[in-house]
Short mmCIF file of all heavy atoms in Angstrom, two decimals:
data_model
loop_
_atom_site.label_atom_id
_atom_site.label_comp_id
_atom_site.label_asym_id
_atom_site.label_seq_id
_atom_site.Cartn_x
_atom_site.Cartn_y
_atom_site.Cartn_z
N ASP A 861 -18.73 -113.12 32.19
CA ASP A 861 -17.79 -112.86 31.10
C ASP A 861 -16.35 -112.90 31.59
O ASP A 861 -15.45 -113.37 30.87
CB ASP A 861 -18.09 -111.49 30.47
CG ASP A 861 -19.29 -111.53 29.54
OD1 ASP A 861 -19.70 -112.65 29.16
OD2 ASP A 861 -19.81 -110.45 29.19
N PHE A 862 -16.12 -112.38 32.80
CA PHE A 862 -14.76 -112.42 33.34
C PHE A 862 -14.30 -113.87 33.48
O PHE A 862 -13.18 -114.21 33.05
CB PHE A 862 -14.68 -111.74 34.71
CG PHE A 862 -13.38 -111.99 35.42
CD1 PHE A 862 -12.22 -111.34 35.01
CD2 PHE A 862 -13.30 -112.90 36.45
CE1 PHE A 862 -11.00 -111.60 35.63
CE2 PHE A 862 -12.10 -113.18 37.08
CZ PHE A 862 -10.94 -112.52 36.68
N LEU A 863 -15.12 -114.72 34.07
CA LEU A 863 -14.73 -116.12 34.27
C LEU A 863 -14.51 -116.83 32.93
O LEU A 863 -13.54 -117.59 32.78
CB LEU A 863 -15.81 -116.85 35.07
CG LEU A 863 -15.96 -116.41 36.53
CD1 LEU A 863 -17.19 -117.08 37.16
CD2 LEU A 863 -14.72 -116.73 37.34
N GLU A 864 -15.37 -116.56 31.97
CA GLU A 864 -15.30 -117.27 30.69
C GLU A 864 -14.12 -116.80 29.83
O GLU A 864 -13.42 -117.64 29.24
CB GLU A 864 -16.60 -117.06 29.92
CG GLU A 864 -16.66 -117.79 28.58
CD GLU A 864 -16.67 -119.30 28.73
OE1 GLU A 864 -17.11 -119.80 29.79
OE2 GLU A 864 -16.24 -119.99 27.79
N HIS A 865 -13.88 -115.49 29.77
CA HIS A 865 -12.92 -114.97 28.81
C HIS A 865 -11.53 -114.69 29.39
O HIS A 865 -10.56 -114.56 28.63
CB HIS A 865 -13.47 -113.69 28.17
CG HIS A 865 -14.74 -113.90 27.41
ND1 HIS A 865 -14.81 -114.68 26.27
CD2 HIS A 865 -16.00 -113.45 27.64
CE1 HIS A 865 -16.05 -114.70 25.82
NE2 HIS A 865 -16.79 -113.95 26.63
N TYR A 866 -11.43 -114.61 30.72
CA TYR A 866 -10.13 -114.25 31.31
C TYR A 866 -9.67 -115.22 32.39
O TYR A 866 -8.53 -115.67 32.36
CB TYR A 866 -10.18 -112.82 31.84
CG TYR A 866 -10.48 -111.83 30.74
CD1 TYR A 866 -11.75 -111.27 30.60
CD2 TYR A 866 -9.51 -111.53 29.78
CE1 TYR A 866 -12.04 -110.41 29.55
CE2 TYR A 866 -9.78 -110.67 28.73
CZ TYR A 866 -11.05 -110.12 28.61
OH TYR A 866 -11.33 -109.28 27.56
N PHE A 867 -10.54 -115.57 33.33
CA PHE A 867 -10.09 -116.49 34.38
C PHE A 867 -9.85 -117.89 33.85
O PHE A 867 -8.77 -118.46 34.06
CB PHE A 867 -11.09 -116.53 35.54
CG PHE A 867 -10.76 -117.61 36.54
CD1 PHE A 867 -9.63 -117.50 37.36
CD2 PHE A 867 -11.53 -118.76 36.64
CE1 PHE A 867 -9.30 -118.51 38.25
CE2 PHE A 867 -11.22 -119.76 37.52
CZ PHE A 867 -10.10 -119.64 38.34
N LYS A 868 -10.81 -118.47 33.15
CA LYS A 868 -10.65 -119.84 32.67
C LYS A 868 -9.45 -119.99 31.74
O LYS A 868 -8.65 -120.92 31.90
CB LYS A 868 -11.94 -120.33 32.01
CG LYS A 868 -13.06 -120.60 32.99
CD LYS A 868 -14.30 -121.12 32.28
CE LYS A 868 -15.43 -121.39 33.28
NZ LYS A 868 -16.67 -121.87 32.59
N PRO A 869 -9.26 -119.10 30.76
CA PRO A 869 -8.07 -119.21 29.90
C PRO A 869 -6.82 -118.61 30.52
O PRO A 869 -5.76 -118.63 29.91
CB PRO A 869 -8.47 -118.47 28.63
CG PRO A 869 -9.47 -117.47 29.09
CD PRO A 869 -10.22 -118.12 30.22
N GLN A 870 -6.94 -118.03 31.74
CA GLN A 870 -5.81 -117.43 32.44
C GLN A 870 -5.14 -116.36 31.58
O GLN A 870 -3.94 -116.43 31.26
CB GLN A 870 -4.82 -118.51 32.89
CG GLN A 870 -5.32 -119.38 34.02
CD GLN A 870 -5.34 -118.65 35.37
OE1 GLN A 870 -4.33 -118.54 36.04
NE2 GLN A 870 -6.50 -118.13 35.75
N LYS A 871 -5.92 -115.34 31.25
CA LYS A 871 -5.42 -114.22 30.47
C LYS A 871 -5.65 -112.92 31.26
O LYS A 871 -6.69 -112.76 31.90
CB LYS A 871 -6.15 -114.13 29.12
CG LYS A 871 -5.86 -115.30 28.19
CD LYS A 871 -6.60 -115.14 26.87
CE LYS A 871 -6.29 -116.28 25.91
NZ LYS A 871 -7.02 -116.14 24.62
N PRO A 872 -4.70 -111.98 31.20
CA PRO A 872 -4.86 -110.73 31.93
C PRO A 872 -5.87 -109.81 31.26
O PRO A 872 -6.14 -109.91 30.06
CB PRO A 872 -3.46 -110.13 31.90
CG PRO A 872 -2.86 -110.66 30.63
CD PRO A 872 -3.42 -112.05 30.47
N VAL A 873 -6.40 -108.88 32.05
CA VAL A 873 -7.32 -107.88 31.51
C VAL A 873 -7.28 -106.65 32.42
O VAL A 873 -7.04 -106.77 33.62
CB VAL A 873 -8.77 -108.43 31.41
CG1 VAL A 873 -9.33 -108.78 32.78
CG2 VAL A 873 -9.69 -107.47 30.67
N VAL A 874 -7.50 -105.48 31.83
CA VAL A 874 -7.67 -104.24 32.60
C VAL A 874 -9.14 -103.87 32.56
O VAL A 874 -9.75 -103.79 31.49
CB VAL A 874 -6.83 -103.09 32.02
CG1 VAL A 874 -7.15 -101.78 32.75
CG2 VAL A 874 -5.35 -103.40 32.12
N ILE A 875 -9.73 -103.66 33.75
CA ILE A 875 -11.12 -103.23 33.87
C ILE A 875 -11.09 -101.76 34.27
O ILE A 875 -10.59 -101.41 35.34
CB ILE A 875 -11.87 -104.07 34.91
CG1 ILE A 875 -11.68 -105.56 34.62
CG2 ILE A 875 -13.36 -103.71 34.90
CD1 ILE A 875 -12.18 -106.47 35.73
N GLU A 876 -11.60 -100.91 33.41
CA GLU A 876 -11.38 -99.47 33.56
C GLU A 876 -12.32 -98.79 34.56
O GLU A 876 -11.96 -97.81 35.20
CB GLU A 876 -11.51 -98.79 32.20
CG GLU A 876 -10.44 -99.25 31.21
CD GLU A 876 -10.62 -98.66 29.83
OE1 GLU A 876 -11.78 -98.28 29.49
OE2 GLU A 876 -9.63 -98.57 29.09
N ARG A 877 -13.54 -99.31 34.70
CA ARG A 877 -14.54 -98.58 35.51
C ARG A 877 -15.21 -99.49 36.53
O ARG A 877 -16.41 -99.39 36.78
CB ARG A 877 -15.57 -97.94 34.59
CG ARG A 877 -14.97 -97.01 33.54
CD ARG A 877 -16.03 -96.31 32.72
NE ARG A 877 -16.84 -95.42 33.53
CZ ARG A 877 -17.84 -94.68 33.04
NH1 ARG A 877 -18.14 -94.73 31.75
NH2 ARG A 877 -18.52 -93.89 33.84
N ALA A 878 -14.42 -100.34 37.17
CA ALA A 878 -14.98 -101.32 38.10
C ALA A 878 -15.25 -100.76 39.49
O ALA A 878 -16.02 -101.34 40.25
CB ALA A 878 -14.05 -102.53 38.21
N ILE A 879 -14.61 -99.63 39.85
CA ILE A 879 -14.68 -99.18 41.25
C ILE A 879 -15.14 -97.73 41.38
O ILE A 879 -14.91 -97.10 42.41
CB ILE A 879 -13.33 -99.36 41.96
CG1 ILE A 879 -12.24 -98.47 41.33
CG2 ILE A 879 -12.89 -100.81 41.92
CD1 ILE A 879 -10.97 -98.40 42.15
N GLU A 880 -15.84 -97.22 40.39
CA GLU A 880 -16.27 -95.83 40.46
C GLU A 880 -17.33 -95.60 41.55
O GLU A 880 -17.60 -94.46 41.93
CB GLU A 880 -16.78 -95.37 39.10
CG GLU A 880 -15.65 -95.23 38.09
CD GLU A 880 -16.13 -94.67 36.76
OE1 GLU A 880 -17.35 -94.45 36.61
OE2 GLU A 880 -15.28 -94.47 35.88
N ASN A 881 -17.93 -96.69 42.06
CA ASN A 881 -18.89 -96.56 43.16
C ASN A 881 -18.22 -96.66 44.52
O ASN A 881 -18.89 -96.51 45.55
CB ASN A 881 -19.98 -97.64 43.04
CG ASN A 881 -19.41 -99.05 43.15
OD1 ASN A 881 -18.27 -99.30 42.77
ND2 ASN A 881 -20.21 -99.99 43.64
N TRP A 882 -16.93 -96.92 44.58
CA TRP A 882 -16.21 -96.96 45.85
C TRP A 882 -15.97 -95.54 46.35
O TRP A 882 -15.59 -94.65 45.56
CB TRP A 882 -14.85 -97.62 45.69
CG TRP A 882 -14.82 -99.09 45.52
CD1 TRP A 882 -15.87 -99.94 45.32
CD2 TRP A 882 -13.64 -99.91 45.51
NE1 TRP A 882 -15.42 -101.24 45.19
CE2 TRP A 882 -14.07 -101.24 45.30
CE3 TRP A 882 -12.28 -99.64 45.65
CZ2 TRP A 882 -13.16 -102.31 45.24
CZ3 TRP A 882 -11.38 -100.70 45.59
CH2 TRP A 882 -11.82 -102.02 45.39
N PRO A 883 -16.09 -95.28 47.65
CA PRO A 883 -15.61 -94.01 48.19
C PRO A 883 -14.14 -93.76 47.87
O PRO A 883 -13.71 -92.62 47.66
CB PRO A 883 -15.85 -94.16 49.69
CG PRO A 883 -16.99 -95.12 49.80
CD PRO A 883 -16.79 -96.09 48.67
N ALA A 884 -13.36 -94.84 47.81
CA ALA A 884 -11.93 -94.72 47.52
C ALA A 884 -11.66 -94.07 46.17
O ALA A 884 -10.63 -93.42 45.98
CB ALA A 884 -11.26 -96.09 47.57
N PHE A 885 -12.58 -94.25 45.22
CA PHE A 885 -12.36 -93.70 43.88
C PHE A 885 -12.17 -92.19 43.95
O PHE A 885 -11.34 -91.62 43.24
CB PHE A 885 -13.52 -94.06 42.96
CG PHE A 885 -13.35 -93.58 41.55
CD1 PHE A 885 -12.53 -94.27 40.66
CD2 PHE A 885 -14.00 -92.44 41.11
CE1 PHE A 885 -12.36 -93.81 39.36
CE2 PHE A 885 -13.84 -91.99 39.81
CZ PHE A 885 -13.02 -92.68 38.94
N ASP A 886 -12.95 -91.52 44.79
CA ASP A 886 -12.84 -90.07 44.93
C ASP A 886 -11.88 -89.65 46.04
O ASP A 886 -11.25 -88.59 45.95
CB ASP A 886 -14.22 -89.47 45.22
CG ASP A 886 -15.19 -89.65 44.06
OD1 ASP A 886 -14.78 -89.43 42.91
OD2 ASP A 886 -16.35 -90.03 44.31
N LYS A 887 -11.75 -90.47 47.07
CA LYS A 887 -11.00 -90.06 48.25
C LYS A 887 -9.52 -90.43 48.22
O LYS A 887 -8.68 -89.69 48.74
CB LYS A 887 -11.61 -90.70 49.51
CG LYS A 887 -13.00 -90.21 49.83
CD LYS A 887 -13.69 -91.07 50.88
CE LYS A 887 -12.97 -91.06 52.21
NZ LYS A 887 -13.73 -91.84 53.23
N TRP A 888 -9.20 -91.56 47.62
CA TRP A 888 -7.84 -92.09 47.77
C TRP A 888 -6.84 -91.36 46.88
O TRP A 888 -6.86 -91.47 45.65
CB TRP A 888 -7.81 -93.58 47.48
CG TRP A 888 -8.30 -94.41 48.64
CD1 TRP A 888 -9.10 -93.98 49.67
CD2 TRP A 888 -8.05 -95.79 48.89
NE1 TRP A 888 -9.36 -95.00 50.54
CE2 TRP A 888 -8.73 -96.13 50.09
CE3 TRP A 888 -7.33 -96.77 48.21
CZ2 TRP A 888 -8.70 -97.42 50.61
CZ3 TRP A 888 -7.31 -98.06 48.74
CH2 TRP A 888 -7.97 -98.38 49.93
N ASN A 889 -5.99 -90.58 47.51
CA ASN A 889 -4.83 -89.98 46.88
C ASN A 889 -3.76 -89.85 47.95
O ASN A 889 -3.98 -90.19 49.12
CB ASN A 889 -5.17 -88.63 46.23
CG ASN A 889 -5.82 -87.66 47.21
OD1 ASN A 889 -5.38 -87.55 48.37
ND2 ASN A 889 -6.84 -86.96 46.77
N LEU A 890 -2.60 -89.36 47.58
CA LEU A 890 -1.49 -89.30 48.54
C LEU A 890 -1.79 -88.35 49.70
O LEU A 890 -1.39 -88.62 50.84
CB LEU A 890 -0.21 -88.90 47.82
CG LEU A 890 0.35 -89.95 46.86
CD1 LEU A 890 1.49 -89.36 46.04
CD2 LEU A 890 0.83 -91.18 47.62
N ASP A 891 -2.49 -87.26 49.43
CA ASP A 891 -2.82 -86.32 50.51
C ASP A 891 -3.73 -86.98 51.55
O ASP A 891 -3.58 -86.77 52.75
CB ASP A 891 -3.49 -85.07 49.95
CG ASP A 891 -2.51 -84.19 49.18
OD1 ASP A 891 -1.31 -84.24 49.49
OD2 ASP A 891 -2.95 -83.46 48.28
N TYR A 892 -4.69 -87.78 51.07
CA TYR A 892 -5.61 -88.47 51.99
C TYR A 892 -4.85 -89.49 52.83
O TYR A 892 -5.08 -89.59 54.05
CB TYR A 892 -6.71 -89.15 51.18
CG TYR A 892 -7.71 -89.91 52.01
CD1 TYR A 892 -8.55 -89.25 52.90
CD2 TYR A 892 -7.85 -91.29 51.88
CE1 TYR A 892 -9.49 -89.95 53.65
CE2 TYR A 892 -8.78 -92.00 52.61
CZ TYR A 892 -9.59 -91.33 53.51
OH TYR A 892 -10.52 -92.02 54.25
N ILE A 893 -3.96 -90.23 52.21
CA ILE A 893 -3.16 -91.21 52.96
C ILE A 893 -2.31 -90.50 54.00
O ILE A 893 -2.18 -90.96 55.15
CB ILE A 893 -2.28 -92.03 52.00
CG1 ILE A 893 -3.15 -92.86 51.05
CG2 ILE A 893 -1.34 -92.93 52.78
CD1 ILE A 893 -4.02 -93.90 51.71
N LYS A 894 -1.74 -89.37 53.64
CA LYS A 894 -0.93 -88.61 54.60
C LYS A 894 -1.78 -88.13 55.77
O LYS A 894 -1.34 -88.16 56.92
CB LYS A 894 -0.29 -87.41 53.88
CG LYS A 894 0.55 -86.53 54.78
CD LYS A 894 1.15 -85.35 54.00
CE LYS A 894 1.95 -84.43 54.91
NZ LYS A 894 2.54 -83.28 54.16
#
């Protein structure tokens, strides 16, 4: 669907829940970077 509806026509999109399985989703904040 991404390729058909956004990449091929070159249109932007926001994907809201694409990385909830990443450790970064819970870990990455400014305190962690510090």
Side-chain angles (χ1 to χ4, degrees):
D861 282 345
F862 169 75
L863 292 172
E864 182 66 26
H865 298 295
Y866 300 104
F867 172 70
K868 288 182 180 179
Q870 289 287 278
K871 294 180 178 180
V873 63
V874 174
I875 308 170
E876 296 176 336
R877 304 184 64 180
I879 64 169
E880 290 184 357
N881 62 330
W882 286 9
F885 182 79
D886 295 316
K887 294 167 62 176
W888 281 21
N889 55 42
L890 291 171
D891 289 333
Y892 179 64
I893 296 297
K894 179 180 177 180

